Amino acid sequence: MTLQLGEVAPNFKADSTDGPLDFYEYLGSSWGVLFSHPADFTPVCTTELGRVAALKPEFENRNTKVIGLSVDGLADHTSWSRDIAETQGTALNFPLIADQNRKIAGTYGMIHPNASSTLTVRSVFIIAPDKTVKLTLTYPASTGRNFDEILRVIDSLQLSAQHSVATPADWKVGDDVIISPSISDDEAASKFPLGWKTLKPYLRITAQPTIN
Ligand code: BEZ
């Protein structure tokens, strides 16, 4: 079974394209995005890795480290990374884990036997600095992920971690936000001195506070 929200993401040691690593040491006090790929030398995965490499500055701006995983070996990863650089215009600039024995994939529930008994699905885990899982996503092999959406979720998670707010449907940075229902109007008055609009007692809209 896949990890659930609020659970601690298990630590592991692994070989990667950046050398041997300890997951927790790699993350340090940053946020993390761990994402799996069905296999090396596959077309959709090739585009995904290129896209994440291109977005690396955006992840860094959010104090977030990215790390990929595929159940093929290091020699294949190294050879495939040349194809990624050649075809996607951006070389791999973050570690890709070689999980040949599928140990990490098993621990994280990345293999869904009814989809494939050997390949991982496209899993995404967003992990907070305290190592708890804040988001899980599972995509099929045939659908490449939208990494702008992953960045948007990180923005929302970081905002909610700092302020008593939630973000509405399709929210993006700069849009109004929702005051958490657990906050009374009295508390809201001190937290949101610029005020808010009450559409329903449980639906109070305010300007987005700054994300630090
Ligand atoms: C792909 O990345 O293109 C892919 C991987 C596994 C199965 C199907 C497609």
Side-chain angles (χ1 to χ4, degrees):
M1 195 162 99
T2 192
L3 286 172
Q4 298 190 346
L5 302 193
E7 289 186 325
V8 173
N11 195 21
F12 55 80
K13 292 185 195 310
D15 285 332
S16 82
T17 46
D18 286 4
L21 63 78
D22 174 289
F23 186 45
Y24 279 12
E25 276 177 22
Y26 172 69
L27 292 178
S29 58
S30 301
W31 288 70
V33 176
L34 169 66
F35 59 106
S36 60
H37 292 278
D40 290 8
F41 304 108
T42 50
V44 176
C45 299
T46 302
T47 63
E48 287 189 322
L49 287 168
R51 180 67 182 144
V52 175
L55 286 173
K56 192 175 177 204
E58 292 295 331
F59 286 103
E60 285 174 344
N61 285 343
R62 291 161 175 82
N63 183 31
T64 301
K65 292 194 170 168
V66 291
I67 184 162
L69 178 148
S70 168
V71 293
D72 290 312
L74 210 45
D76 278 347
H77 282 12
T78 304
S79 165
W80 186 31
S81 65
R82 286 192 282 272
D83 293 355
I84 293 165
E86 180 190 325
T87 62
Q88 305 305 306
T90 319
L92 209 58
N93 51 14
F94 56 87
L96 180 61
I97 295 164
D99 187 32
Q100 241 174 330
N101 61 13
R102 295 171 173 72
K103 208 166 158 209
I104 303 163
T107 303
Y108 274 77
M110 292 166 169
I111 294 180
H112 296 201
N114 291 318
S116 165
S117 57
T118 53
L119 305 180
T120 61
V121 290
R122 295 186 197 282
S123 299
V124 182
F125 298 89
I126 298 182
I127 298 165
D130 68 359
K131 309 293 182 290
T132 56
V133 174
K134 296 295 183 190
L135 166 137
T136 65
L137 272 181
T138 305
Y139 272 46
S142 55
T143 305
R145 287 158 284 197
N146 182 332
F147 290 94
D148 290 318
E149 169 63 0
I150 307 296
L151 290 168
R152 192 190 74 89
V153 177
I154 293 169
D155 287 335
S156 171
L157 286 167
Q158 294 185 344
L159 181 66
S160 296
Q162 292 166 26
H163 304 280
S164 303
V165 297
T167 57
D170 296 337
W171 172 87
K172 54 190 184 325
V173 166
D175 290 352
D176 286 350
V177 298
I178 294 168
I179 298 175
S180 300
S182 62
I183 299 292
S184 69
D185 278 354
D186 282 349
E187 286 173 286
S190 61
K191 287 180 188 286
F192 305 99
L194 297 180
W196 63 87
K197 200 159 127 190
T198 302
L199 303 183
K200 291 284 175 190
Y202 58 83
L203 180 52
R204 295 167 296 176
I205 307 292
T206 192
Q208 183 214 295
T210 308
I211 309 175
N212 296 310

